């Protein structure tokens, strides 16, 4: 789970990393009051789980509380890369001397963590990394040893960061390990004209698999997160929203992932990942369909099931049951194969819903679903 900047900021502060004083507001009036409490002059920052807010006009300086109210009015409701701004963070401005980049990310292929650091942080970091990769230091970290002062000094040295960065790097590693994060990033970490290092922006991705041992997970989960993902999670479904138009439901993560690839290969874009798992009941199928159908971006739905533990007739019954409760406004392509496939197909044939089509192969089903999505 990705955190909002203000949540990342709170974690940094707890672990002794210096951050600007800040408050969160969900209305222009509250923004004005916050600005007053913070001393008047503030930076107004859109809270969305995507980068590049500065370039999109979502990070702006306001000279006084009245200006903060006006700026918040302009930023609240803005769309930044498909994310609607529902809250702003008001932060005390900092006088920047230089901007650095520091972060840790899990390098699964290497079985290690990777420290990424640069003396040229800020909003142009992607361009810097692309055009002058030597300006970005990459240092692997043995997870069993972690980031000691010596390791932090090695990272700071490799990136050309000032000596105070060693302490920040050690504390940032504590954030990663204690909070069970798979990514922590500070861009920019700034040196103020007064010579202090301050974390001005933060990105943290928590490890979903560690949720059971993180007491705070519940409060960090925001009501503003994707409503479909929240609805799916409430029903215990394994659902991830994507950018396309073909809704995808399948059993088993591997099959669903291949289905995404095959649909993409047919010239359409998957709208989601939804794995109903092995041994899926009719109820799970019905829940899954209702979530996928309520996505306004979906133009056709592909159900791809290979019956192993899950019998295809159970899946077919689930589809039929779902069609009793959910009005099918989008074409549904179903491919059933494996355990009890013939019975499953017969169940759907008998139901004879005008919006439901069957296909016998995965390729054929994907092609049909892609055509339907692209033609409606
Ligand atoms: P991002 O664009 O989503 O990465 O948002 P950031 O929080 O990183 O802000 C973008 C840029 O705004 C930073 O790189 C800074 O240059 C600038 N910025 C943010 N806060 C302040 C501040 O308090 N003072 C000054 N002078 N610039 C700031
Ligand atoms: Mn940033």
């Amino acid at each position: 789970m990705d955190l909002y900047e203000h949540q990342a900021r709170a974690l940094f502060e707890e672990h002794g990393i210096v951050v600007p004083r800040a408050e969160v507001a969900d209305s222009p009036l509250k923004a004005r009051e916050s600005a007053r409490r913070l001393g008047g002059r503030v930076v107004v920052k859109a809270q969305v789980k995507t980068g590049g807010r500065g370039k999109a006009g979502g990070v702006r300086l306001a000279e006084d509380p009245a200006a903060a109210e006006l700026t918040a009015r302009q930023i609240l409701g803005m769309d930044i890369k498909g994310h609607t701004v529902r809250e702003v963070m008001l932060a005390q401005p900092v006088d920047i001397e230089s901007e650095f980049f520091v972060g840790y990310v899990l390098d699964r292929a290497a079985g290690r963590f990777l420290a990424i650091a640069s003396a040229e942080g800020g909003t142009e970091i992607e361009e810097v990394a692309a055009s002058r990769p030597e300006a970005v230091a990459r240092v692997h970290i043995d997870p069993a040893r972690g980031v000691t002062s010596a390791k932090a000094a090695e990272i700071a040295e490799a990136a050309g960061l000032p000596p105070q960065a060693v302490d920040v790097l050690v504390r940032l590693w504590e954030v990663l390990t204690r909070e069970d994060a798979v990514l922590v990033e500070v861009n920019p970490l700034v040196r103020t004209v007064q010579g202090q290092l301050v974390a001005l922006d933060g990105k943290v991705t928590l490890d979903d698999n560690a949720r059971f041992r993180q007491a705070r997970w519940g409060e960090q989960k925001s009501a503003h997160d994707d409503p479909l993902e929240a609805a799916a999670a409430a029903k215990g479904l394994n659902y991830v929203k994507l950018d396309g138009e073909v809704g995808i439901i399948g059993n088993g993560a591997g099959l669903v992932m291949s289905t995404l690839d095959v649909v993409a290969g047919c010239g359409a874009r998957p709208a989601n990942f939804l794995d109903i798992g092995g041994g899926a009941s009719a109820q799970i199928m019905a829940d899954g369909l209702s979530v996928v159908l309520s996505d306004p971006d979906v133009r056709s739905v592909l159900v791809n099931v290979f019956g192993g533990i899950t019998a295809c007739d159970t899946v077919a019954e689930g589809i039929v049951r779902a069609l009793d409760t959910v009005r099918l406004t989008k074409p549904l392509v179903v491919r059933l194969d494996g355990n009890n496939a013939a019975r499953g197909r017969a169940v759907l044939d008998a139901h004879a819903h005008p919006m439901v089509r069957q296909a016998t192969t995965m390729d054929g089903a994907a092609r049909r679903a892609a055509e339907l999505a692209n033609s409606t």
Side-chain angles (χ1 to χ4, degrees):
M1 172 174 71
D2 292 341
L3 296 186
Y4 286 101
E5 177 194 20
H6 70 87
Q7 296 173 315
R9 180 200 162 281
L11 292 184
F12 293 170
E13 189 172 39
E14 275 177 42
H15 290 275
I17 296 170
V18 181
V19 291
R21 260 187 70 199
E23 293 188 14
V24 178
D26 60 4
S27 77
L29 254 178
K30 287 185 192 163
R32 183 191 193 117
E33 289 161 14
S34 289
R36 194 175 40 74
R37 282 191 291 271
L38 292 166
R41 198 166 170 263
V42 288
V43 182
V44 186
K45 309 184 76 176
Q47 296 300 288
V48 280
K49 294 181 177 183
T50 180
R53 297 166 303 159
K55 285 184 179 173
V59 176
R60 285 154 58 185
L61 187 71
E63 290 299 333
D64 54 44
E69 178 181 342
L70 193 72
T71 306
R73 198 180 299 287
Q74 288 161 350
I75 293 179
L76 287 166
M78 239 173 88
D79 179 282
I80 300 181
K81 297 184 191 162
H83 300 254
T84 307
V85 182
R86 311 241 180 239
E87 289 180 322
V88 289
M89 186 172 90
L90 297 304
Q92 282 186 340
V94 165
D95 293 328
I96 300 175
E97 188 207 79
S98 32
E99 297 188 301
F100 311 120
F101 178 103
V102 293
Y104 299 117
V105 62
L106 178 60
D107 182 349
R108 292 179 196 275
R112 290 174 171 236
F113 282 91
L114 185 65
I116 305 175
S118 174
E120 298 179 48
T123 53
E124 303 299 327
I125 188 69
E126 271 93 5
E127 288 73 7
V128 171
S131 61
R132 284 182 303 107
E134 70 281 1
V136 180
R138 293 161 175 272
V139 179
H140 270 115
I141 296 156
D142 180 340
R145 288 167 194 258
V147 177
T148 56
S149 294
K151 190 71 185 181
E154 182 192 332
I155 298 163
E157 163 87 33
L161 303 180
Q164 304 118 287
V166 171
D167 180 59
V168 176
L169 285 163
V170 170
R171 291 176 190 275
L172 195 62
W173 177 257
E174 272 176 33
V175 173
L176 180 101
T177 50
R178 300 260 174 85
E179 308 296 335
D180 279 317
V182 289
L183 177 145
V184 293
E185 193 182 285
V186 184
N187 184 37
L189 172 69
V190 305
R191 183 163 56 198
T192 65
V193 295
Q194 294 80 18
Q196 193 179 30
L197 281 194
V198 181
L200 225 56
D201 181 18
K203 181 172 177 199
V204 170
T205 304
L206 299 177
D207 182 352
D208 293 6
N209 296 316
R211 175 192 317 223
F212 71 95
R213 62 182 182 199
Q214 290 291 346
R216 271 188 308 200
W217 190 282
E219 51 193 85
Q220 282 164 334
K221 191 105 194 107
S222 165
H224 300 314
D225 289 341
D226 188 277
L228 285 172
E229 288 193 358
K235 288 175 173 163
L237 296 169
N238 214 339
Y239 173 90
V240 181
K241 172 92 174 87
L242 301 170
D243 294 334
E245 294 79 31
V246 180
I248 312 265
I249 301 174
N251 64 326
L255 179 64
V256 179
M257 282 194 274
S258 343
T259 309
L260 302 185
D261 286 346
V262 175
V263 165
C266 293
R269 298 184 311 163
N272 67 275
F273 169 101
L274 175 51
D275 171 19
I276 57 170
S281 66
Q283 184 62 49
I284 290 175
M285 186 69 224
D287 288 345
L289 256 183
S290 79
V291 167
V292 171
L293 286 169
S294 57
D295 177 351
D297 296 334
V298 164
R299 291 203 229 139
S300 70
V301 180
L302 169 54
V303 174
N304 187 16
V305 168
F306 189 86
I309 302 169
T310 314
C312 290
D313 52 338
T314 308
V315 172
E317 277 153 21
I319 294 170
V320 168
R321 193 149 120 205
L323 296 179
D324 286 340
T325 52
V326 189
R327 202 166 75 83
L328 193 57
T329 49
K330 299 153 186 179
L332 186 68
V333 180
V334 184
R335 177 255 183 168
L336 299 174
D337 206 349
N339 183 9
N340 277 358
R343 265 198 247 169
R345 290 186 199 138
V347 168
L348 290 181
D349 281 340
H351 192 68
H353 192 291
M355 300 285 269
V356 178
R357 299 149 171 78
Q358 298 202 61
T360 48
T361 66
M362 173 154 155
D363 284 347
R367 220 175 304 123
R368 194 85 182 89
E371 278 165 17
L372 289 163
N374 291 334
S375 68
T376 49

